[in-house]
Amino acid sequence: MITLITNIKELIQVRETPIPKVSGAEMAILPTIKNAYLVIKDNLIAGFGSMENIPEIKADSTIDATGKMILPSWCDSHTHIVYAGNREQEFVDRINGLSYEEIANRGGGILNSAKKLNETSEEEIYNQSKARLEEVMRLGTGAVEIKSGYGLTVDGELKMLRVIKKLAENYPVTIKATFLGAHAFPLEFKENKKGYIDEIIYKMLPEIAKNKLADYVDVFCETGYFSVEETEQIMEAGIQNGLIPKIHVNQFNSIGGIQASVKYKALSVDHLEIMNPEDIQALKNTETMPVALPSCSYFLSIPYTPAREMIKAGLPIALATDYNPGSTPSGNMNFVVATACIKMKMTPEEAINAATINGAYAMGVSDTHGTITVGKKANFILTKPITSYYQLPYAFGTNLIESVFIEGKIFE
């Protein structure tokens, strides 16, 4: 099946020679072709170029994209969209003056979600989660990482990972699974942290490895959650079980988690709202991708990741949603891109690079996603008629997407 799209006002993020990521000053460069065509063969990108040089193509169907633009689908490398229920009451509690930490200390937060998840059937969790997945796909996401972490028991964590696996089997979107058993300490282990870490290392990880339920291992490395030493222990055990680290760090405090993550060759370090010069220095010339989650900062009214300082230091940045019930109940990558421009002072070019090519890198799918490149998946966004791609972050409250193509087909 060959589909030809013609008269594309601008074809964005075209990379004839594939590169895994862009860093520093390169993030400001977004290669495009104006008045372009794009060829899809089955589920892959088969060709593209300027309309002036379009060859004769025998297409099964042709789409005229006059006035519209095409860019790769968003690659959302950090989500928690498999969960049960919601935490609307905590939202109101925060409006009334309670902090994220105060809510957690009285049994809310992650422990609240864990209680709900363990009381909810696997089928019901799947049904709730698939609705969220379909929503983010319609908003332009073509690759998504999903974490466990609301089970906090052997059964609960495995249940979540099975749901993630089932979503991956039933939907054309590319899904990567991350094991985040080290998201918080369950109440019964509050005075026995070693006991829970032993559960993770000796019970959860071997089962996950045996059943091939995850690609990555994550830890919430933060004051009041998992220490740097505990994080290193879990990263090491994860690596021994074939999982690559992707770590939550520096959300509220800088405690050395970035340095530990780099030491264990983490694929990404995520959050980074609090960054000191030593943290930025530790990330230089590494293979670890810094990931910012601006809609979390927006929702919790906490600082934003200092993107300008990091880009100036030559670092790459990826953007992700952090879609979860407590601190970011939204999987809208369009809003993330806009918020990165508005609040983090990233240029539209930097933000689009961060949400496509660098997002793909941060979830290990650079070979297949993140750019308009021959041989990559035909996962892309067709916009409504727009004046320029600047309109995407500028008109932050408007849905400017006409169609989302996943594996070469429009996702309805």
Side-chain angles (χ1 to χ4, degrees):
M1 175 78 177
I2 294 174
T3 304
L4 171 64
I5 306 178
T6 59
N7 303 313
I8 304 160
K9 184 171 182 174
E10 197 160 3
L11 185 60
I12 299 159
Q13 189 60 288
V14 290
R15 307 267 178 183
E16 291 193 20
T17 308
I19 55 170
K21 60 181 178 180
V22 287
S23 308
E26 292 172 351
M27 286 196 66
I29 301 163
L30 185 64
T32 72
I33 300 172
K34 291 184 175 173
N35 190 25
Y37 70 89
L38 179 67
V39 184
I40 307 157
K41 186 173 182 189
D42 299 325
N43 65 336
L44 301 177
I45 294 166
F48 59 82
S50 166
M51 285 298 292
E52 289 172 11
N53 306 315
I54 187 168
E56 194 174 321
I57 297 160
K58 286 185 177 166
D60 297 289
S61 67
T62 302
I63 298 165
D64 184 350
T66 300
K68 303 163 189 176
M69 299 190 184
I70 284 178
L71 67 156
S73 59
W74 307 124
C75 296
D76 188 354
S77 68
H78 183 129
T79 82
H80 308 250
I81 66 176
V82 170
Y83 59 85
N86 63 61
R87 298 207 324 245
E88 290 168 0
Q89 184 54 50
E90 293 176 16
F91 169 64
V92 178
D93 290 342
R94 272 203 312 281
I95 292 169
N96 287 324
L98 290 182
S99 72
Y100 184 82
E101 283 111 321
E102 284 169 333
I103 290 166
N105 288 339
R106 63 179 206 176
I110 295 162
L111 297 182
N112 183 356
S113 285
K115 184 174 183 290
K116 284 177 182 166
L117 185 118
N118 284 303
E119 290 168 352
T120 305
S121 73
E122 193 165 322
E123 185 183 7
E124 177 57 24
I125 293 163
Y126 174 80
N127 288 333
Q128 290 182 26
S129 302
K130 76 174 186 178
R132 295 180 203 115
L133 181 65
E134 289 172 10
E135 176 198 26
V136 302
M137 289 170 72
R138 289 190 189 98
L139 289 166
T141 294
V144 62
E145 179 260 21
I146 307 175
K147 302 177 192 294
S148 70
Y150 293 128
L152 307 185
T153 61
V154 177
D155 290 345
E157 289 296 307
L158 292 173
K159 178 161 75 169
M160 288 189 77
L161 290 166
R162 285 194 300 271
V163 168
I164 297 168
K165 187 175 184 180
K166 189 175 171 184
L167 289 170
E169 288 166 353
N170 292 347
Y171 285 87
V173 67
T174 296
I175 294 175
K176 289 287 190 174
T178 298
F179 167 57
L180 177 58
H183 200 189
F185 285 96
L187 285 175
E188 59 270 32
F189 287 100
K190 209 154 183 64
E191 305 305 319
N192 178 20
K193 292 187 171 182
K194 183 185 179 298
Y196 184 60
I197 290 168
D198 285 349
E199 289 264 303
I200 290 171
I201 292 173
Y202 301 111
K203 291 186 181 174
M204 297 183 194
L205 277 167
E207 276 296 309
I208 290 161
K210 187 176 86 179
N211 295 294
K212 296 186 168 56
L213 287 174
D215 306 288
Y216 304 111
V217 61
D218 196 347
V219 182
F220 188 13
C221 180
E222 182 56 73
T223 304
Y225 291 85
F226 291 81
S227 69
V228 172
E229 190 183 347
E230 290 162 346
T231 300
E232 289 192 332
Q233 212 182 334
I234 294 162
M235 281 195 283
E236 204 164 291
I239 291 165
Q240 284 169 5
N241 282 279
L243 306 182
I244 297 165
K246 272 172 67 68
I247 306 296
H248 281 62
V249 285
N250 290 49
Q251 182 173 3
F252 303 111
N253 301 279
S254 173
I255 59 172
I258 287 176
Q259 290 78 354
S261 301
V262 166
K263 180 170 125 189
Y264 283 91
K265 296 185 165 48
L267 178 60
S268 72
V269 284
D270 302 32
H271 273 290
L272 315 180
E273 288 89 346
I274 306 299
M275 293 289 279
N276 61 36
E278 294 76 28
D279 296 324
I280 291 174
Q281 190 61 38
L283 285 165
K284 282 187 177 180
N285 305 313
T286 72
E287 296 303 304
T288 299
M289 177 65 70
V291 179
L293 309 169
S295 46
C296 176
S297 297
Y298 172 85
F299 193 75
L300 291 183
S301 300
I302 60 175
Y304 287 86
T305 304
R308 290 267 49 95
E309 288 171 47
M310 293 164 69
I311 292 168
K312 189 179 176 185
L315 297 183
I317 292 182
L319 290 169
T321 63
D322 193 23
Y323 193 176
N324 75 79
S327 63
T328 323
S330 165
N332 190 341
M333 281 291 286
N334 307 283
F335 178 75
V336 166
V337 167
T339 306
C341 295
I342 296 161
K343 294 294 186 182
M344 291 163 57
K345 303 302 179 199
M346 291 177 75
T347 65
E349 291 81 2
E350 289 167 341
I352 291 169
N353 274 323
T356 56
I357 187 169
N358 285 0
Y361 180 95
M363 56 189 290
V365 297
S366 294
D367 290 347
T368 49
H369 294 73
T371 64
I372 303 294
T373 301
V374 171
K376 285 197 179 187
K377 297 265 189 192
N379 287 17
F380 56 87
I381 293 163
L382 175 65
T383 72
K384 293 173 182 173
I386 56 176
T387 50
S388 79
Y389 59 75
Y390 289 175
Q391 203 174 340
L392 298 172
Y394 166 74
F396 69 92
T398 305
N399 182 2
L400 296 172
I401 295 173
E402 180 171 292
S403 306
V404 178
F405 285 72
I406 308 277
E407 300 256 328
K409 295 190 179 80
I410 293 176
F411 182 72
E412 298 294 354

